């Protein structure tokens, strides 16, 4: 049996110890190489002048010879006007990219010695950069699609429900997650559940046999119905693609323009011919581990940000640690100005959630 990628020596090509031993110039040169793709010449982000600008060594900035504007590594990106040192920013990128199930804001604030508010906006700016630079070219070849319910978890009642013997026996026979009836929830909890619950629909393109999924696109919708599903498929899946789904009625029209096969999850996990939806379902396991063990809740307003983050984590799961760090740094340095997290704690917040409109 082959060794898991995360246990191999290849993935350990860069460590936190090496990063901590870097000098300030090393952090600067690392980001500079990614920002300008290894080229010596830089283009002014203000006027677009190609003439080599003057480098201000003490300030780690450049000054354009044409418009006389100064610019830095983060000018025009989500981290523009950041007061953090390059050391803390690169350390935050490393910790964010190295965690397979995400990192909490409070943990990051302790790790790099910043306030919780700073860690909160920094991590969300990483998510925004991932969203801004998302690859939205249509999926092709072999695609699996599934939807998962997130948010709106009802709170338990005041009194513990005493299980009946017959319910316990049924639960033992059918598995611990099936068979026994669930306790009732109050009307207020039920309304909160309806108000805050959303559906994350993920579309995953599979690679060669044994490699799993190679690309993931996620969108948040109010329902997993035919209208939302088909609009997503027409936008993000090439015609003629082979699609695998479960038996939900939302996927009935997938046969129009696509080769479509289903697996009956009510009776089987995979058909005799090998038709399954395992890769689409496995995406939800990672994000649920983050929800239960790291975040402990998922707000509907920012659910698309979380979905995009974990789609990126799935897409880069076979990257080495240095490749992940470079990938995240490239997204941050090539993104536009932050629209959602600049001035967040001063009251400048996103008005609406990012919902897929069918």
């Amino acid at each position: 049996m082959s060794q898991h990628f995360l246990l191999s020596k290849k993935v350990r090509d860069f460590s936190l110890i090496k990063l901590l031993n870097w000098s300030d110039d090393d952090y600067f040169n690392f980001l500079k190489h990614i920002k300008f793709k290894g080229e010596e010449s830089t283009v002014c982000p203000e006027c677009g002048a190609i003439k080599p600008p003057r480098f201000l060594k003490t300030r780690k900035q450049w000054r354009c010879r044409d418009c006389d504007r100064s610019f830095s590594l983060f000018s025009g990106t989500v981290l523009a006007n950041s007061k953090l040192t390059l050391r803390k920013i690169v350390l935050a990128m490393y910790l964010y990219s190295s965690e397979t199930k995400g990192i909490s804001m409070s943990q990051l604030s302790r790790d790099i010695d910043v306030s919780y508010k700073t860690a909160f906006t920094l991590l969300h700016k990483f998510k925004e950069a991932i969203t801004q630079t998302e690859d939205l070219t249509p999926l092709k070849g072999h695609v699996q699609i599934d939807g998962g319910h997130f948010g709106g978890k009802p709170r338990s009642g005041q009194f513990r429900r005493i299980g009946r013997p017959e319910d316990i026996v049924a639960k033992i026979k059918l598995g611990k997650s099936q068979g026994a009836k669930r306790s009732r929830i109050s009307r207020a909890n039920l309304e909160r559940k309806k108000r805050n619950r959303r559906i994350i629909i993920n579309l995953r393109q599979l690679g060669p046999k044994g490699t799993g999924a190679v690309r993931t696109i996620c969108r948040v919708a109010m329902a997993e119905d035919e209208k939302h599903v088909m609009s997503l498929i027409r936008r993000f899946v090439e015609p003629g693609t082979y699609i695998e789904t479960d038996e939900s009625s939302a996927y009935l029209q997938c046969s129009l323009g696509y080769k479509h096969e289903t697996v009956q999850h009510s009776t089987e996990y995979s058909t005799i011919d090998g038709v399954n939806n395992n890769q689409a379902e496995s995406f939800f396991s990672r994000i649920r581990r983050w929800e239960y063990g790291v975040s402990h809740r998922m707000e509907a307003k920012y659910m698309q940000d979380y979905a995009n983050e974990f789609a990126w984590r799935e897409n880069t799961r076979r990257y080495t640690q240095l490749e992940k760090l470079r990938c995240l740094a490239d997204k941050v340095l090539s993104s536009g100005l932050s629209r959602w997290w600049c001035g967040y704690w001063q009251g400048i917040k996103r008005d609406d959630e990012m919902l897929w409109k069918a």
Side-chain angles (χ1 to χ4, degrees):
M1 181 178 179
S2 61
Q3 188 181 41
H4 192 282
F5 176 71
L6 292 179
L7 302 178
S8 65
K9 184 179 179 180
K10 180 182 178 181
V11 75
R12 303 191 308 272
D13 63 340
F14 192 69
S15 67
L16 184 59
I17 294 177
K18 292 180 181 178
L19 186 60
L20 292 173
N21 287 331
W22 278 8
S23 64
D24 291 341
D25 288 338
D26 291 331
Y27 292 113
F28 177 79
N29 291 329
F30 171 75
L31 295 175
K32 175 187 172 184
H33 183 82
I34 295 174
K35 174 77 172 180
F36 303 116
K37 312 303 180 186
E39 299 179 3
E40 292 298 327
S41 61
T42 59
V43 178
C44 176
E46 294 291 338
C47 66
I50 304 176
K51 187 186 301 182
R54 294 190 299 271
F55 180 62
L56 309 177
K57 186 175 181 180
T58 56
R59 299 174 59 183
K60 293 291 191 287
Q61 292 182 346
W62 293 266
R63 180 165 293 169
C64 180
R65 297 179 187 273
D66 287 350
C67 66
D68 204 35
R69 295 286 186 90
S70 297
F71 59 93
S72 67
L73 288 170
F74 298 123
S75 295
T77 71
V78 292
L79 295 182
N81 303 316
S82 176
K83 305 299 189 297
L84 292 177
T85 63
L86 294 182
R87 180 184 179 88
K88 288 188 176 183
I89 290 175
V90 177
L91 281 173
M93 289 181 181
Y94 179 91
L95 295 172
Y96 180 84
S97 60
S98 63
E99 293 292 338
T100 57
K101 297 180 177 65
I103 184 172
S104 67
M105 288 79 171
S106 58
Q107 181 65 48
L108 183 67
S109 69
R110 295 190 297 270
D111 288 343
I112 65 174
D113 191 22
V114 296
S115 68
Y116 174 81
K117 291 183 177 181
T118 300
F120 180 90
T121 53
L122 183 60
L123 288 188
H124 276 291
K125 284 180 178 180
F126 289 167
K127 294 179 178 66
E128 184 176 3
I130 290 172
T131 299
Q132 287 189 24
T133 58
E134 183 182 11
D135 181 10
L136 297 180
T137 55
L139 306 176
K140 58 184 178 180
H142 185 179
V143 175
Q144 293 184 354
I145 307 174
D146 197 17
H149 293 252
F150 288 88
K153 298 293 190 298
R155 295 179 179 178
S156 301
Q158 179 182 0
F159 301 102
R160 185 184 296 274
R161 179 178 181 272
I162 300 176
R164 297 183 301 173
E166 54 268 29
D167 291 340
I168 297 175
V169 172
K171 191 172 184 178
I172 293 173
K173 287 182 177 179
L174 299 178
K176 67 177 183 178
S177 62
Q178 304 178 36
K181 294 182 179 180
R182 298 182 180 182
S183 58
R184 294 182 179 179
I185 61 176
S186 65
R187 172 66 63 179
N189 276 338
L190 180 61
E191 293 301 321
R192 181 165 53 248
K193 174 181 177 181
K194 292 179 180 179
R195 183 171 62 253
N196 296 327
R197 174 159 287 196
R198 300 290 182 271
I199 309 297
I200 296 180
I201 302 175
N202 79 85
L203 304 89
R204 307 199 71 186
Q205 177 180 319
L206 276 62
K209 186 176 181 180
T211 60
V214 293
R215 277 188 62 207
T216 305
I217 296 177
C218 296
R219 287 297 179 267
V220 177
M222 291 299 297
E224 187 184 9
D225 55 17
E226 188 175 283
K227 179 177 67 173
H228 289 89
V229 167
M230 291 310 301
S231 63
L232 280 169
I233 291 175
R234 294 189 186 101
R235 168 61 183 85
F236 296 117
V237 182
E238 280 191 2
T241 299
Y242 172 54
I243 296 177
E244 290 178 325
T245 67
D246 56 25
E247 72 274 24
S248 172
S249 59
Y251 304 101
L252 289 178
Q253 289 192 12
C254 288
S255 299
L256 301 177
Y258 304 90
K259 182 181 179 181
H260 179 220
E261 291 191 279
T262 63
V263 54
Q264 301 290 329
H265 277 168
S266 58
T267 58
E268 58 189 356
Y269 295 108
S270 176
T271 67
I272 297 177
D273 298 328
V275 178
N276 63 78
N277 208 24
N278 294 342
Q279 291 298 322
E281 290 184 327
S282 69
F283 169 81
F284 296 127
S285 63
R286 186 194 294 264
I287 194 170
R288 289 196 192 281
R289 297 285 74 74
W290 169 81
E291 181 186 10
Y292 296 153
V294 178
S295 171
H296 303 297
R297 68 169 182 167
M298 183 179 288
E299 296 183 30
K301 188 173 183 179
Y302 302 114
M303 197 172 293
Q304 184 62 60
D305 304 63
Y306 306 139
N308 287 341
E309 173 191 352
F310 283 92
W312 175 77
R313 292 189 185 279
E314 284 290 338
N315 293 339
T316 60
R317 70 188 186 280
R318 294 186 184 273
Y319 286 20
T320 66
Q321 184 51 53
L322 185 57
E323 289 172 342
K324 287 182 181 179
L325 178 59
R326 285 175 173 166
C327 179
L328 178 61
D330 182 59
K331 287 181 173 294
V332 170
L333 293 171
S334 60
S335 63
L337 291 169
S338 177
R339 295 175 292 170
W340 307 321
W341 302 102
C342 185
Y344 175 85
W345 296 108
Q346 288 73 41
I348 304 174
K349 301 182 180 181
R350 183 195 299 168
D351 294 331
D352 301 315
E353 59 181 303
M354 297 169 62
L355 277 176
W356 178 258
K357 304 296 183 181

